[in-house]
Amino acid sequence: MPAIFNRPVPYLVLASSTQALKSYQPIPQPFTNGFAFASQFRDQVMDKTKRQTFRRVNPKEHIPQPGESIVGWVEKSNGSAELILNETITMAQTLHIDFGERDPIYVDGHPLTRSAREIFAAAEGFKSYLDLCEFVYDQYGLRPFNGVIIHW
């Protein structure tokens, strides 16, 4: 593999003509999704008891997809970061949260029952659905939340 500016390059350009260089297409690399995690989830992510996370998404930006990589870190008090997750996404589901609605959480368009909300909260690393609600309120306020649940 040739090195340009001391960095490996995964291709060789064997043609000397300008036309060949103009038609060159780089080899696509898999997309990596990177997310910071709250320190309260560190141990659960590292011991693999937490295997999903939900994130707000902007429809104009990339939405995580199965088969893509996901990396996660926890920021430390000294300004550094500790890598706690490096996995492959197995599933992504749409998520809608609106505490003003009768059924406040929808996954893939389906409302979660009371018991399913508790199961969802536990899978997200919370002790209860109420703890999840407090976290969402602290992070996002009362505005409706549209996002994605990322499973690994």
Side-chain angles (χ1 to χ4, degrees):
M1 211 181 291
I4 298 177
F5 302 109
N6 295 323
R7 294 174 64 187
V9 179
Y11 56 84
L12 282 171
V13 178
L14 300 175
S16 60
S17 74
T18 307
Q19 183 62 29
L21 289 174
K22 286 182 181 177
S23 65
Y24 165 74
Q25 295 294 318
I27 299 168
Q29 299 297 317
F31 193 87
T32 299
N33 300 275
F35 300 104
F37 282 80
S39 59
Q40 73 189 61
F41 302 119
R42 178 193 176 277
D43 293 341
Q44 294 166 317
V45 171
M46 291 190 74
D47 69 14
K48 300 185 186 290
T49 55
K50 179 175 169 59
R51 308 275 308 160
Q52 70 181 49
T53 187
F54 65 88
R55 302 296 164 139
R56 177 172 276 171
V57 293
N58 179 341
K60 295 178 183 177
E61 295 177 1
H62 178 79
I63 296 174
Q65 299 294 319
E68 296 176 346
S69 296
I70 181 172
V71 294
W73 61 89
V74 173
E75 295 178 9
K76 295 183 170 190
S77 58
N78 66 2
S80 66
E82 176 186 11
L83 183 67
I84 61 169
L85 176 66
N86 188 1
E87 297 280 344
T88 301
I89 297 172
T90 58
M91 182 170 52
Q93 297 176 285
T94 61
L95 175 67
H96 176 77
I97 299 175
D98 187 347
F99 294 119
E101 294 182 18
R102 180 171 172 244
D103 295 314
I105 299 181
Y106 289 77
V107 175
D108 287 338
H110 302 286
L112 296 187
T113 63
R114 242 184 219 157
S115 60
R117 283 181 248 161
E118 289 292 339
I119 293 167
F120 175 72
E124 285 292 336
F126 296 96
K127 292 181 181 163
S128 69
Y129 173 64
L130 182 58
D131 288 343
L132 170 90
C133 293
E134 289 174 357
F135 180 84
V136 171
Y137 175 75
D138 290 343
Q139 294 292 312
Y140 305 106
L142 288 175
R143 298 183 314 268
F145 175 99
N146 291 303
V148 63
I149 306 167
I150 304 165
H151 303 263
W152 61 87

